[in-house]
Short mmCIF file of all heavy atoms in Angstrom, two decimals:
data_model
loop_
_atom_site.label_atom_id
_atom_site.label_comp_id
_atom_site.label_asym_id
_atom_site.label_seq_id
_atom_site.Cartn_x
_atom_site.Cartn_y
_atom_site.Cartn_z
N ARG A 30 25.87 30.62 0.82
CA ARG A 30 26.97 29.67 0.78
C ARG A 30 28.26 30.32 1.31
O ARG A 30 29.02 29.69 2.05
CB ARG A 30 27.19 29.16 -0.64
CG ARG A 30 28.37 28.18 -0.77
CD ARG A 30 28.61 27.79 -2.22
NE ARG A 30 27.42 27.17 -2.78
CZ ARG A 30 27.10 25.89 -2.59
NH1 ARG A 30 27.88 25.13 -1.83
NH2 ARG A 30 26.02 25.40 -3.12
N LEU A 31 28.48 31.58 0.93
CA LEU A 31 29.67 32.28 1.38
C LEU A 31 29.71 32.38 2.90
O LEU A 31 30.74 32.09 3.53
CB LEU A 31 29.71 33.67 0.75
CG LEU A 31 30.80 34.62 1.26
CD1 LEU A 31 32.17 34.07 0.92
CD2 LEU A 31 30.62 36.02 0.68
N VAL A 32 28.60 32.77 3.51
CA VAL A 32 28.56 32.91 4.97
C VAL A 32 28.72 31.55 5.63
O VAL A 32 29.40 31.41 6.65
CB VAL A 32 27.24 33.60 5.39
CG1 VAL A 32 27.14 33.65 6.91
CG2 VAL A 32 27.16 35.00 4.80
N TRP A 33 28.10 30.51 5.06
CA TRP A 33 28.25 29.16 5.59
C TRP A 33 29.72 28.75 5.59
O TRP A 33 30.24 28.25 6.61
CB TRP A 33 27.41 28.19 4.75
CG TRP A 33 27.76 26.73 4.92
CD1 TRP A 33 28.72 26.04 4.25
CD2 TRP A 33 27.17 25.81 5.85
NE1 TRP A 33 28.76 24.74 4.67
CE2 TRP A 33 27.81 24.56 5.65
CE3 TRP A 33 26.17 25.90 6.78
CZ2 TRP A 33 27.47 23.43 6.38
CZ3 TRP A 33 25.82 24.76 7.50
CH2 TRP A 33 26.46 23.55 7.31
N ASP A 34 30.40 28.96 4.47
CA ASP A 34 31.80 28.57 4.38
C ASP A 34 32.66 29.33 5.38
O ASP A 34 33.58 28.77 6.00
CB ASP A 34 32.32 28.82 2.96
CG ASP A 34 31.75 27.84 1.94
OD1 ASP A 34 31.27 26.76 2.36
OD2 ASP A 34 31.76 28.16 0.73
N LEU A 35 32.38 30.61 5.55
CA LEU A 35 33.15 31.39 6.52
C LEU A 35 32.97 30.84 7.93
O LEU A 35 33.95 30.72 8.69
CB LEU A 35 32.70 32.86 6.48
CG LEU A 35 33.16 33.67 5.27
CD1 LEU A 35 32.45 35.03 5.25
CD2 LEU A 35 34.67 33.86 5.31
N LEU A 36 31.74 30.52 8.29
CA LEU A 36 31.49 30.00 9.63
C LEU A 36 32.15 28.64 9.83
O LEU A 36 32.61 28.31 10.94
CB LEU A 36 30.00 29.91 9.90
CG LEU A 36 29.31 31.24 10.21
CD1 LEU A 36 27.80 31.06 10.31
CD2 LEU A 36 29.85 31.82 11.53
N GLN A 37 32.17 27.80 8.78
CA GLN A 37 32.82 26.50 8.91
C GLN A 37 34.31 26.67 9.23
O GLN A 37 34.89 25.87 9.99
CB GLN A 37 32.66 25.69 7.62
CG GLN A 37 31.22 25.33 7.28
CD GLN A 37 30.51 24.63 8.42
OE1 GLN A 37 31.00 23.63 8.97
NE2 GLN A 37 29.37 25.17 8.83
N ARG A 38 34.93 27.72 8.70
CA ARG A 38 36.35 27.95 8.95
C ARG A 38 36.60 28.63 10.29
O ARG A 38 37.63 28.39 10.93
CB ARG A 38 36.95 28.80 7.82
CG ARG A 38 37.01 28.10 6.47
CD ARG A 38 37.94 28.82 5.51
NE ARG A 38 37.47 30.17 5.20
CZ ARG A 38 36.69 30.46 4.16
NH1 ARG A 38 36.28 29.49 3.35
NH2 ARG A 38 36.32 31.70 3.93
N GLN A 39 35.66 29.48 10.73
CA GLN A 39 35.91 30.30 11.92
C GLN A 39 35.32 29.71 13.21
O GLN A 39 35.78 30.05 14.30
CB GLN A 39 35.30 31.70 11.72
CG GLN A 39 35.92 32.49 10.58
CD GLN A 39 35.23 33.84 10.40
OE1 GLN A 39 34.52 34.33 11.30
NE2 GLN A 39 35.43 34.45 9.22
N LYS A 40 34.36 28.87 13.09
CA LYS A 40 33.63 28.41 14.30
C LYS A 40 34.50 27.49 15.15
O LYS A 40 35.48 26.90 14.69
CB LYS A 40 32.36 27.68 13.89
CG LYS A 40 32.57 26.28 13.29
CD LYS A 40 31.26 25.65 12.90
CE LYS A 40 31.44 24.22 12.39
NZ LYS A 40 31.88 23.31 13.43
N VAL A 138 23.40 39.37 8.30
CA VAL A 138 24.69 39.39 7.63
C VAL A 138 24.47 39.80 6.17
O VAL A 138 23.67 39.20 5.47
CB VAL A 138 25.38 38.01 7.69
CG1 VAL A 138 26.71 38.06 6.93
CG2 VAL A 138 25.62 37.60 9.14
N PRO A 140 26.88 40.06 3.20
CA PRO A 140 28.27 39.78 2.82
C PRO A 140 28.82 40.63 1.68
O PRO A 140 30.04 40.70 1.50
CB PRO A 140 28.23 38.30 2.43
CG PRO A 140 26.80 38.05 2.03
CD PRO A 140 25.98 38.93 2.92
N LEU A 164 33.38 40.39 7.86
CA LEU A 164 33.32 38.93 7.65
C LEU A 164 34.49 38.19 8.26
O LEU A 164 34.36 37.03 8.67
CB LEU A 164 33.23 38.62 6.15
CG LEU A 164 31.97 39.13 5.44
CD1 LEU A 164 31.99 38.73 3.97
CD2 LEU A 164 30.71 38.62 6.13
N ASP A 165 35.66 38.83 8.34
CA ASP A 165 36.80 38.13 8.92
C ASP A 165 36.59 37.82 10.40
O ASP A 165 37.23 36.91 10.95
CB ASP A 165 38.07 38.97 8.77
CG ASP A 165 38.53 39.04 7.31
OD1 ASP A 165 38.08 38.18 6.52
OD2 ASP A 165 39.32 39.95 6.97
N LEU A 167 33.44 37.18 11.73
CA LEU A 167 32.02 36.84 11.80
C LEU A 167 31.69 35.99 13.02
O LEU A 167 30.72 36.29 13.74
CB LEU A 167 31.62 36.08 10.51
CG LEU A 167 30.16 35.64 10.42
CD1 LEU A 167 29.22 36.83 10.53
CD2 LEU A 167 29.92 34.87 9.12
N ALA A 168 32.45 34.95 13.28
CA ALA A 168 32.14 34.07 14.41
C ALA A 168 32.20 34.85 15.72
O ALA A 168 31.32 34.70 16.59
CB ALA A 168 33.09 32.88 14.45
#
Side-chain angles (χ1 to χ4, degrees):
R30 178 184 301 279
L31 172 64
V32 176
W33 164 273
D34 289 340
L35 286 171
L36 284 174
Q37 296 306 308
R38 293 195 296 268
Q39 297 177 18
K40 73 181 184 67
V138 178
L164 296 182
D165 290 342
L167 180 59

